[in-house]
Amino acid sequence: MRAVVPGSFDPITNGHVDVIRRARAIFDEVVVAVGANSSKKYLFEPTERLELVRAATADIEGVTADPLTGLLTDFCRAHGADAIVKGARGAVDFDFEVGMARMNHSLTGIETVILPAAAQWSYVSSTLVREIATLGGDATPYVPAVVARRLATRRAHD
Ligand code: PNS
């Protein structure tokens, strides 16, 4: 069975990697869909977000990543996915995910598995990581090493 783990990953955090690993423990193959939420403004370009997702998951066998440009349900069909997996840190995330899960199910019948974020990473979000990094703080504990290096490089050039 194959699952798609979608998100905007701006940037990928340790919490995302944990969800991807746990999705891979349930499914034989995981395709990470790196997309964009049209109402958000991003720090990293789509190609860089995809590159960082690939680098951060390179050591997890059975995990690949591709760009998501259209509808998630079309991506799932094109990739032969059996289900979508999303992480939820709490009630706000869960409510949002349930709405999208129901819409995606209505569109094509695909099911969504919602995994509770690991307690260890429940307070970590890409938004807070971006804020810490852009205001000169150290986001190293919350992101894969490749992302921490990239954030440091960006800061050096800003
Ligand atoms: O990191 P995010 O903000 O949770 O990612 C949201 C994303 C990119 C997964 C979501 O916006 C999405 O699925 N976009 C693709 C377009 C789509 O299918 N929209 C309808 C969803 S019901």
PDB file of all heavy atoms in Angstrom, residues 7-12 32-37 40-54 65-69 150 154:
ATOM      1  N   GLY A   7       2.078  18.465   2.240  1.00  0.00           N
ATOM      2  CA  GLY A   7       2.322  19.628   3.087  1.00  0.00           C
ATOM      3  C   GLY A   7       3.057  20.684   2.298  1.00  0.00           C
ATOM      4  O   GLY A   7       3.438  20.452   1.139  1.00  0.00           O
ATOM      5  N   SER A   8       3.270  21.846   2.944  1.00  0.00           N
ATOM      6  CA  SER A   8       4.055  22.862   2.240  1.00  0.00           C
ATOM      7  C   SER A   8       5.516  22.832   2.693  1.00  0.00           C
ATOM      8  O   SER A   8       6.387  23.293   1.972  1.00  0.00           O
ATOM      9  CB  SER A   8       3.431  24.247   2.382  1.00  0.00           C
ATOM     10  OG  SER A   8       2.965  24.465   3.682  1.00  0.00           O
ATOM     11  N   PHE A   9       5.791  22.320   3.873  1.00  0.00           N
ATOM     12  CA  PHE A   9       7.168  22.050   4.310  1.00  0.00           C
ATOM     13  C   PHE A   9       8.084  23.272   4.122  1.00  0.00           C
ATOM     14  O   PHE A   9       9.056  23.211   3.378  1.00  0.00           O
ATOM     15  CB  PHE A   9       7.742  20.824   3.585  1.00  0.00           C
ATOM     16  CG  PHE A   9       6.914  19.585   3.723  1.00  0.00           C
ATOM     17  CD1 PHE A   9       6.113  19.135   2.674  1.00  0.00           C
ATOM     18  CD2 PHE A   9       6.906  18.871   4.905  1.00  0.00           C
ATOM     19  CE1 PHE A   9       5.325  18.002   2.809  1.00  0.00           C
ATOM     20  CE2 PHE A   9       6.120  17.733   5.046  1.00  0.00           C
ATOM     21  CZ  PHE A   9       5.341  17.296   3.991  1.00  0.00           C
ATOM     22  N   ASP A  10       7.734  24.359   4.795  1.00  0.00           N
ATOM     23  CA  ASP A  10       8.490  25.617   4.631  1.00  0.00           C
ATOM     24  C   ASP A  10       9.118  26.076   5.935  1.00  0.00           C
ATOM     25  O   ASP A  10       8.674  27.077   6.501  1.00  0.00           O
ATOM     26  CB  ASP A  10       7.555  26.697   4.075  1.00  0.00           C
ATOM     27  CG  ASP A  10       8.289  27.999   3.796  1.00  0.00           C
ATOM     28  OD1 ASP A  10       9.363  27.926   3.169  1.00  0.00           O
ATOM     29  OD2 ASP A  10       7.815  29.071   4.204  1.00  0.00           O
ATOM     30  N   PRO A  11      10.121  25.413   6.449  1.00  0.00           N
ATOM     31  CA  PRO A  11      10.770  24.212   5.916  1.00  0.00           C
ATOM     32  C   PRO A  11      10.267  22.955   6.633  1.00  0.00           C
ATOM     33  O   PRO A  11       9.500  23.055   7.589  1.00  0.00           O
ATOM     34  CB  PRO A  11      12.243  24.455   6.298  1.00  0.00           C
ATOM     35  CG  PRO A  11      12.126  25.142   7.639  1.00  0.00           C
ATOM     36  CD  PRO A  11      10.867  25.969   7.594  1.00  0.00           C
ATOM     37  N   ILE A  12      10.730  21.784   6.149  1.00  0.00           N
ATOM     38  CA  ILE A  12      10.433  20.513   6.825  1.00  0.00           C
ATOM     39  C   ILE A  12      11.043  20.565   8.239  1.00  0.00           C
ATOM     40  O   ILE A  12      12.159  21.046   8.422  1.00  0.00           O
ATOM     41  CB  ILE A  12      10.953  19.309   6.007  1.00  0.00           C
ATOM     42  CG1 ILE A  12      10.502  17.995   6.654  1.00  0.00           C
ATOM     43  CG2 ILE A  12      12.463  19.351   5.786  1.00  0.00           C
ATOM     44  CD1 ILE A  12      10.693  16.771   5.759  1.00  0.00           C
ATOM     45  N   VAL A  32       6.003  11.911  -0.489  1.00  0.00           N
ATOM     46  CA  VAL A  32       5.768  13.215   0.140  1.00  0.00           C
ATOM     47  C   VAL A  32       5.398  14.198  -0.968  1.00  0.00           C
ATOM     48  O   VAL A  32       6.121  14.319  -1.968  1.00  0.00           O
ATOM     49  CB  VAL A  32       7.016  13.700   0.911  1.00  0.00           C
ATOM     50  CG1 VAL A  32       6.720  15.012   1.637  1.00  0.00           C
ATOM     51  CG2 VAL A  32       7.483  12.633   1.906  1.00  0.00           C
ATOM     52  N   ALA A  33       4.253  14.870  -0.814  1.00  0.00           N
ATOM     53  CA  ALA A  33       3.780  15.840  -1.811  1.00  0.00           C
ATOM     54  C   ALA A  33       4.092  17.234  -1.286  1.00  0.00           C
ATOM     55  O   ALA A  33       3.552  17.655  -0.267  1.00  0.00           O
ATOM     56  CB  ALA A  33       2.278  15.672  -2.030  1.00  0.00           C
ATOM     57  N   VAL A  34       4.989  17.922  -1.984  1.00  0.00           N
ATOM     58  CA  VAL A  34       5.430  19.244  -1.526  1.00  0.00           C
ATOM     59  C   VAL A  34       4.666  20.312  -2.304  1.00  0.00           C
ATOM     60  O   VAL A  34       4.942  20.554  -3.479  1.00  0.00           O
ATOM     61  CB  VAL A  34       6.957  19.399  -1.692  1.00  0.00           C
ATOM     62  CG1 VAL A  34       7.415  20.755  -1.164  1.00  0.00           C
ATOM     63  CG2 VAL A  34       7.687  18.267  -0.978  1.00  0.00           C
ATOM     64  N   GLY A  35       3.682  20.902  -1.646  1.00  0.00           N
ATOM     65  CA  GLY A  35       2.786  21.832  -2.325  1.00  0.00           C
ATOM     66  C   GLY A  35       2.808  23.211  -1.712  1.00  0.00           C
ATOM     67  O   GLY A  35       3.769  23.603  -1.038  1.00  0.00           O
ATOM     68  N   ALA A  36       1.738  23.940  -1.960  1.00  0.00           N
ATOM     69  CA  ALA A  36       1.622  25.288  -1.425  1.00  0.00           C
ATOM     70  C   ALA A  36       0.173  25.538  -1.074  1.00  0.00           C
ATOM     71  O   ALA A  36      -0.720  25.153  -1.812  1.00  0.00           O
ATOM     72  CB  ALA A  36       2.101  26.301  -2.455  1.00  0.00           C
ATOM     73  N   ASN A  37      -0.018  26.161   0.072  1.00  0.00           N
ATOM     74  CA  ASN A  37      -1.349  26.591   0.483  1.00  0.00           C
ATOM     75  C   ASN A  37      -1.482  28.008  -0.079  1.00  0.00           C
ATOM     76  O   ASN A  37      -0.682  28.880   0.250  1.00  0.00           O
ATOM     77  CB  ASN A  37      -1.388  26.573   2.017  1.00  0.00           C
ATOM     78  CG  ASN A  37      -2.718  27.039   2.554  1.00  0.00           C
ATOM     79  OD1 ASN A  37      -3.384  27.863   1.944  1.00  0.00           O
ATOM     80  ND2 ASN A  37      -3.071  26.523   3.695  1.00  0.00           N
ATOM     81  N   LYS A  40      -0.888  31.188   1.999  1.00  0.00           N
ATOM     82  CA  LYS A  40       0.316  31.404   2.813  1.00  0.00           C
ATOM     83  C   LYS A  40       1.430  32.032   1.986  1.00  0.00           C
ATOM     84  O   LYS A  40       1.507  31.828   0.779  1.00  0.00           O
ATOM     85  CB  LYS A  40       0.822  30.068   3.373  1.00  0.00           C
ATOM     86  CG  LYS A  40      -0.027  29.515   4.506  1.00  0.00           C
ATOM     87  CD  LYS A  40       0.660  28.308   5.124  1.00  0.00           C
ATOM     88  CE  LYS A  40      -0.220  27.594   6.135  1.00  0.00           C
ATOM     89  NZ  LYS A  40       0.325  26.270   6.487  1.00  0.00           N
ATOM     90  N   LYS A  41       2.316  32.775   2.681  1.00  0.00           N
ATOM     91  CA  LYS A  41       3.497  33.342   2.043  1.00  0.00           C
ATOM     92  C   LYS A  41       4.684  32.480   2.495  1.00  0.00           C
ATOM     93  O   LYS A  41       4.764  32.128   3.665  1.00  0.00           O
ATOM     94  CB  LYS A  41       3.687  34.789   2.515  1.00  0.00           C
ATOM     95  CG  LYS A  41       4.287  35.680   1.471  1.00  0.00           C
ATOM     96  CD  LYS A  41       4.391  37.119   1.962  1.00  0.00           C
ATOM     97  CE  LYS A  41       5.520  37.825   1.222  1.00  0.00           C
ATOM     98  NZ  LYS A  41       6.842  37.473   1.762  1.00  0.00           N
ATOM     99  N   TYR A  42       5.577  32.148   1.565  1.00  0.00           N
ATOM    100  CA  TYR A  42       6.624  31.192   1.899  1.00  0.00           C
ATOM    101  C   TYR A  42       8.015  31.813   2.005  1.00  0.00           C
ATOM    102  O   TYR A  42       8.307  32.797   1.321  1.00  0.00           O
ATOM    103  CB  TYR A  42       6.618  30.050   0.874  1.00  0.00           C
ATOM    104  CG  TYR A  42       5.379  29.205   1.030  1.00  0.00           C
ATOM    105  CD1 TYR A  42       4.308  29.308   0.163  1.00  0.00           C
ATOM    106  CD2 TYR A  42       5.254  28.351   2.129  1.00  0.00           C
ATOM    107  CE1 TYR A  42       3.160  28.561   0.345  1.00  0.00           C
ATOM    108  CE2 TYR A  42       4.109  27.605   2.323  1.00  0.00           C
ATOM    109  CZ  TYR A  42       3.071  27.709   1.436  1.00  0.00           C
ATOM    110  OH  TYR A  42       1.932  26.981   1.638  1.00  0.00           O
ATOM    111  N   LEU A  43       8.838  31.212   2.866  1.00  0.00           N
ATOM    112  CA  LEU A  43      10.236  31.639   3.008  1.00  0.00           C
ATOM    113  C   LEU A  43      11.084  30.999   1.910  1.00  0.00           C
ATOM    114  O   LEU A  43      11.887  31.648   1.264  1.00  0.00           O
ATOM    115  CB  LEU A  43      10.765  31.222   4.395  1.00  0.00           C
ATOM    116  CG  LEU A  43      12.229  31.508   4.702  1.00  0.00           C
ATOM    117  CD1 LEU A  43      12.486  33.016   4.774  1.00  0.00           C
ATOM    118  CD2 LEU A  43      12.648  30.872   6.038  1.00  0.00           C
ATOM    119  N   PHE A  44      10.872  29.684   1.689  1.00  0.00           N
ATOM    120  CA  PHE A  44      11.663  28.962   0.684  1.00  0.00           C
ATOM    121  C   PHE A  44      10.857  28.767  -0.597  1.00  0.00           C
ATOM    122  O   PHE A  44       9.640  28.541  -0.550  1.00  0.00           O
ATOM    123  CB  PHE A  44      12.075  27.584   1.222  1.00  0.00           C
ATOM    124  CG  PHE A  44      13.102  27.646   2.306  1.00  0.00           C
ATOM    125  CD1 PHE A  44      12.755  27.426   3.632  1.00  0.00           C
ATOM    126  CD2 PHE A  44      14.429  27.916   2.007  1.00  0.00           C
ATOM    127  CE1 PHE A  44      13.698  27.477   4.643  1.00  0.00           C
ATOM    128  CE2 PHE A  44      15.381  27.971   3.012  1.00  0.00           C
ATOM    129  CZ  PHE A  44      15.025  27.750   4.329  1.00  0.00           C
ATOM    130  N   GLU A  45      11.547  28.821  -1.727  1.00  0.00           N
ATOM    131  CA  GLU A  45      10.928  28.554  -3.032  1.00  0.00           C
ATOM    132  C   GLU A  45      10.500  27.085  -3.088  1.00  0.00           C
ATOM    133  O   GLU A  45      11.095  26.237  -2.406  1.00  0.00           O
ATOM    134  CB  GLU A  45      11.945  28.800  -4.152  1.00  0.00           C
ATOM    135  CG  GLU A  45      12.345  30.256  -4.323  1.00  0.00           C
ATOM    136  CD  GLU A  45      11.151  31.141  -4.667  1.00  0.00           C
ATOM    137  OE1 GLU A  45      10.306  30.709  -5.476  1.00  0.00           O
ATOM    138  OE2 GLU A  45      11.065  32.242  -4.099  1.00  0.00           O
ATOM    139  N   PRO A  46       9.505  26.752  -3.932  1.00  0.00           N
ATOM    140  CA  PRO A  46       9.046  25.354  -4.031  1.00  0.00           C
ATOM    141  C   PRO A  46      10.170  24.364  -4.310  1.00  0.00           C
ATOM    142  O   PRO A  46      10.215  23.296  -3.691  1.00  0.00           O
ATOM    143  CB  PRO A  46       8.062  25.397  -5.204  1.00  0.00           C
ATOM    144  CG  PRO A  46       7.579  26.804  -5.256  1.00  0.00           C
ATOM    145  CD  PRO A  46       8.704  27.665  -4.774  1.00  0.00           C
ATOM    146  N   THR A  47      11.123  24.728  -5.196  1.00  0.00           N
ATOM    147  CA  THR A  47      12.194  23.772  -5.535  1.00  0.00           C
ATOM    148  C   THR A  47      13.105  23.526  -4.333  1.00  0.00           C
ATOM    149  O   THR A  47      13.585  22.413  -4.119  1.00  0.00           O
ATOM    150  CB  THR A  47      13.055  24.293  -6.702  1.00  0.00           C
ATOM    151  OG1 THR A  47      13.423  25.633  -6.419  1.00  0.00           O
ATOM    152  CG2 THR A  47      12.318  24.214  -8.017  1.00  0.00           C
ATOM    153  N   GLU A  48      13.317  24.573  -3.530  1.00  0.00           N
ATOM    154  CA  GLU A  48      14.190  24.426  -2.358  1.00  0.00           C
ATOM    155  C   GLU A  48      13.484  23.618  -1.267  1.00  0.00           C
ATOM    156  O   GLU A  48      14.099  22.799  -0.570  1.00  0.00           O
ATOM    157  CB  GLU A  48      14.576  25.820  -1.842  1.00  0.00           C
ATOM    158  CG  GLU A  48      15.843  25.797  -1.020  1.00  0.00           C
ATOM    159  CD  GLU A  48      16.412  27.175  -0.755  1.00  0.00           C
ATOM    160  OE1 GLU A  48      15.750  28.182  -1.069  1.00  0.00           O
ATOM    161  OE2 GLU A  48      17.522  27.226  -0.197  1.00  0.00           O
ATOM    162  N   ARG A  49      12.168  23.835  -1.117  1.00  0.00           N
ATOM    163  CA  ARG A  49      11.410  23.056  -0.124  1.00  0.00           C
ATOM    164  C   ARG A  49      11.450  21.576  -0.487  1.00  0.00           C
ATOM    165  O   ARG A  49      11.628  20.713   0.366  1.00  0.00           O
ATOM    166  CB  ARG A  49       9.969  23.570  -0.043  1.00  0.00           C
ATOM    167  CG  ARG A  49       9.882  24.888   0.691  1.00  0.00           C
ATOM    168  CD  ARG A  49       8.456  25.318   0.938  1.00  0.00           C
ATOM    169  NE  ARG A  49       7.953  26.155  -0.120  1.00  0.00           N
ATOM    170  CZ  ARG A  49       6.849  25.917  -0.825  1.00  0.00           C
ATOM    171  NH1 ARG A  49       6.108  24.868  -0.572  1.00  0.00           N
ATOM    172  NH2 ARG A  49       6.466  26.725  -1.777  1.00  0.00           N
ATOM    173  N   LEU A  50      11.296  21.298  -1.793  1.00  0.00           N
ATOM    174  CA  LEU A  50      11.336  19.907  -2.267  1.00  0.00           C
ATOM    175  C   LEU A  50      12.726  19.307  -2.035  1.00  0.00           C
ATOM    176  O   LEU A  50      12.854  18.175  -1.536  1.00  0.00           O
ATOM    177  CB  LEU A  50      10.965  19.863  -3.754  1.00  0.00           C
ATOM    178  CG  LEU A  50      11.016  18.500  -4.431  1.00  0.00           C
ATOM    179  CD1 LEU A  50      10.021  17.530  -3.797  1.00  0.00           C
ATOM    180  CD2 LEU A  50      10.719  18.634  -5.926  1.00  0.00           C
ATOM    181  N   GLU A  51      13.756  20.076  -2.356  1.00  0.00           N
ATOM    182  CA  GLU A  51      15.139  19.599  -2.185  1.00  0.00           C
ATOM    183  C   GLU A  51      15.414  19.285  -0.705  1.00  0.00           C
ATOM    184  O   GLU A  51      16.030  18.255  -0.379  1.00  0.00           O
ATOM    185  CB  GLU A  51      16.075  20.721  -2.685  1.00  0.00           C
ATOM    186  CG  GLU A  51      17.549  20.431  -2.571  1.00  0.00           C
ATOM    187  CD  GLU A  51      18.360  21.726  -2.521  1.00  0.00           C
ATOM    188  OE1 GLU A  51      17.938  22.747  -3.105  1.00  0.00           O
ATOM    189  OE2 GLU A  51      19.416  21.707  -1.860  1.00  0.00           O
ATOM    190  N   LEU A  52      14.940  20.146   0.190  1.00  0.00           N
ATOM    191  CA  LEU A  52      15.176  19.926   1.625  1.00  0.00           C
ATOM    192  C   LEU A  52      14.396  18.716   2.135  1.00  0.00           C
ATOM    193  O   LEU A  52      14.887  17.959   2.977  1.00  0.00           O
ATOM    194  CB  LEU A  52      14.825  21.187   2.426  1.00  0.00           C
ATOM    195  CG  LEU A  52      15.789  22.367   2.235  1.00  0.00           C
ATOM    196  CD1 LEU A  52      15.238  23.637   2.880  1.00  0.00           C
ATOM    197  CD2 LEU A  52      17.177  22.046   2.798  1.00  0.00           C
ATOM    198  N   VAL A  53      13.167  18.517   1.610  1.00  0.00           N
ATOM    199  CA  VAL A  53      12.389  17.326   1.998  1.00  0.00           C
ATOM    200  C   VAL A  53      13.132  16.071   1.543  1.00  0.00           C
ATOM    201  O   VAL A  53      13.282  15.106   2.310  1.00  0.00           O
ATOM    202  CB  VAL A  53      10.962  17.373   1.391  1.00  0.00           C
ATOM    203  CG1 VAL A  53      10.282  16.016   1.507  1.00  0.00           C
ATOM    204  CG2 VAL A  53      10.121  18.456   2.068  1.00  0.00           C
ATOM    205  N   ARG A  54      13.630  16.099   0.299  1.00  0.00           N
ATOM    206  CA  ARG A  54      14.364  14.917  -0.212  1.00  0.00           C
ATOM    207  C   ARG A  54      15.608  14.650   0.614  1.00  0.00           C
ATOM    208  O   ARG A  54      15.892  13.499   0.966  1.00  0.00           O
ATOM    209  CB  ARG A  54      14.724  15.126  -1.684  1.00  0.00           C
ATOM    210  CG  ARG A  54      13.516  14.963  -2.596  1.00  0.00           C
ATOM    211  CD  ARG A  54      13.903  15.015  -4.057  1.00  0.00           C
ATOM    212  NE  ARG A  54      12.736  14.698  -4.895  1.00  0.00           N
ATOM    213  CZ  ARG A  54      12.495  15.221  -6.076  1.00  0.00           C
ATOM    214  NH1 ARG A  54      13.342  16.075  -6.614  1.00  0.00           N
ATOM    215  NH2 ARG A  54      11.418  14.878  -6.760  1.00  0.00           N
ATOM    216  N   ALA A  65       9.782  12.003  -2.810  1.00  0.00           N
ATOM    217  CA  ALA A  65       9.063  13.281  -2.730  1.00  0.00           C
ATOM    218  C   ALA A  65       8.908  13.853  -4.125  1.00  0.00           C
ATOM    219  O   ALA A  65       9.806  13.739  -4.961  1.00  0.00           O
ATOM    220  CB  ALA A  65       9.820  14.257  -1.841  1.00  0.00           C
ATOM    221  N   ASP A  66       7.751  14.482  -4.370  1.00  0.00           N
ATOM    222  CA  ASP A  66       7.455  15.103  -5.662  1.00  0.00           C
ATOM    223  C   ASP A  66       6.712  16.409  -5.438  1.00  0.00           C
ATOM    224  O   ASP A  66       6.038  16.570  -4.423  1.00  0.00           O
ATOM    225  CB  ASP A  66       6.589  14.163  -6.522  1.00  0.00           C
ATOM    226  CG  ASP A  66       7.432  13.160  -7.290  1.00  0.00           C
ATOM    227  OD1 ASP A  66       8.554  13.522  -7.692  1.00  0.00           O
ATOM    228  OD2 ASP A  66       6.984  12.008  -7.460  1.00  0.00           O
ATOM    229  N   PRO A  67       6.797  17.314  -6.432  1.00  0.00           N
ATOM    230  CA  PRO A  67       6.063  18.573  -6.281  1.00  0.00           C
ATOM    231  C   PRO A  67       4.561  18.377  -6.441  1.00  0.00           C
ATOM    232  O   PRO A  67       4.124  17.555  -7.264  1.00  0.00           O
ATOM    233  CB  PRO A  67       6.615  19.459  -7.412  1.00  0.00           C
ATOM    234  CG  PRO A  67       7.302  18.553  -8.350  1.00  0.00           C
ATOM    235  CD  PRO A  67       7.623  17.277  -7.644  1.00  0.00           C
ATOM    236  N   LEU A  68       3.807  19.123  -5.660  1.00  0.00           N
ATOM    237  CA  LEU A  68       2.339  19.115  -5.746  1.00  0.00           C
ATOM    238  C   LEU A  68       1.924  20.485  -6.273  1.00  0.00           C
ATOM    239  O   LEU A  68       2.130  21.497  -5.605  1.00  0.00           O
ATOM    240  CB  LEU A  68       1.754  18.871  -4.351  1.00  0.00           C
ATOM    241  CG  LEU A  68       0.280  19.186  -4.123  1.00  0.00           C
ATOM    242  CD1 LEU A  68      -0.614  18.258  -4.949  1.00  0.00           C
ATOM    243  CD2 LEU A  68      -0.072  19.051  -2.635  1.00  0.00           C
ATOM    244  N   THR A  69       1.378  20.502  -7.491  1.00  0.00           N
ATOM    245  CA  THR A  69       1.010  21.801  -8.074  1.00  0.00           C
ATOM    246  C   THR A  69      -0.502  21.959  -8.216  1.00  0.00           C
ATOM    247  O   THR A  69      -1.018  23.052  -8.080  1.00  0.00           O
ATOM    248  CB  THR A  69       1.683  22.003  -9.450  1.00  0.00           C
ATOM    249  OG1 THR A  69       1.476  20.819 -10.223  1.00  0.00           O
ATOM    250  CG2 THR A  69       3.152  22.280  -9.309  1.00  0.00           C
ATOM    251  N   ARG A 150      20.832  25.212   6.030  1.00  0.00           N
ATOM    252  CA  ARG A 150      20.267  26.104   5.002  1.00  0.00           C
ATOM    253  C   ARG A 150      19.763  27.407   5.629  1.00  0.00           C
ATOM    254  O   ARG A 150      19.939  28.486   5.080  1.00  0.00           O
ATOM    255  CB  ARG A 150      19.142  25.394   4.253  1.00  0.00           C
ATOM    256  CG  ARG A 150      18.667  26.136   3.014  1.00  0.00           C
ATOM    257  CD  ARG A 150      19.746  26.196   1.937  1.00  0.00           C
ATOM    258  NE  ARG A 150      20.212  24.887   1.576  1.00  0.00           N
ATOM    259  CZ  ARG A 150      19.711  24.156   0.564  1.00  0.00           C
ATOM    260  NH1 ARG A 150      18.755  24.640  -0.167  1.00  0.00           N
ATOM    261  NH2 ARG A 150      20.190  22.953   0.291  1.00  0.00           N
ATOM    262  N   ARG A 154      21.117  31.164   4.747  1.00  0.00           N
ATOM    263  CA  ARG A 154      20.213  32.259   4.359  1.00  0.00           C
ATOM    264  C   ARG A 154      20.441  33.477   5.229  1.00  0.00           C
ATOM    265  O   ARG A 154      20.475  34.600   4.767  1.00  0.00           O
ATOM    266  CB  ARG A 154      18.753  31.822   4.527  1.00  0.00           C
ATOM    267  CG  ARG A 154      18.225  31.072   3.356  1.00  0.00           C
ATOM    268  CD  ARG A 154      16.747  30.959   3.493  1.00  0.00           C
ATOM    269  NE  ARG A 154      16.112  32.219   3.137  1.00  0.00           N
ATOM    270  CZ  ARG A 154      15.383  32.387   2.045  1.00  0.00           C
ATOM    271  NH1 ARG A 154      15.200  31.389   1.215  1.00  0.00           N
ATOM    272  NH2 ARG A 154      14.827  33.536   1.784  1.00  0.00           N
TER     273      ARG A 154
END
